Amino acid sequence: MTIGRTEFLRLYRSSLRAAQQFETYNFRKYFYRRTRDRFRTASTLGDAQMVEKAVLEAQEELKVMQRQGVVNRMFS
């Protein structure tokens, strides 16, 4: 499974949007910064397997951020 540029950017934008859903400033900035750094690192990887692994990890992290964003909004 190779991921195309548009799919990679779509995942990146979705992750940034999920990071912006946090009410708490520190959480919001932390996840935004972490997402940005992870995708910068993944974009410089040359090996296709390493890129796929990074994308799978990013997809899992996106799911976690979305769940945690909901919890954060409920209790903030």
Side-chain angles (χ1 to χ4, degrees):
M1 173 185 119
T2 26
I3 186 162
R5 177 171 158 60
T6 55
E7 295 165 1
F8 188 78
L9 291 174
R10 184 177 300 131
L11 180 60
Y12 178 65
R13 284 191 299 264
S14 296
S15 296
L16 290 178
R17 275 194 298 273
Q20 293 300 325
Q21 296 301 313
F22 285 88
E23 294 287 329
T24 309
Y25 175 81
N26 290 332
F27 287 148
R28 184 172 55 241
K29 289 300 178 183
Y30 169 76
F31 284 113
Y32 186 83
R33 187 173 53 251
R34 181 177 169 143
T35 298
R36 190 183 64 221
D37 292 344
R38 277 183 163 242
F39 275 89
R40 277 187 187 158
T41 303
S43 68
T44 61
L45 295 174
D47 185 25
Q49 283 185 323
M50 295 294 287
V51 171
E52 287 182 31
K53 182 180 176 189
V55 167
L56 290 175
E57 289 174 0
Q59 289 171 339
E60 290 299 316
E61 187 172 318
L62 172 60
K63 292 175 187 177
V64 170
M65 276 196 300
Q66 289 171 336
R67 287 192 306 265
Q68 288 301 106
V70 170
V71 171
N72 184 262
R73 283 191 306 274
M74 285 181 359
F75 294 107
S76 289

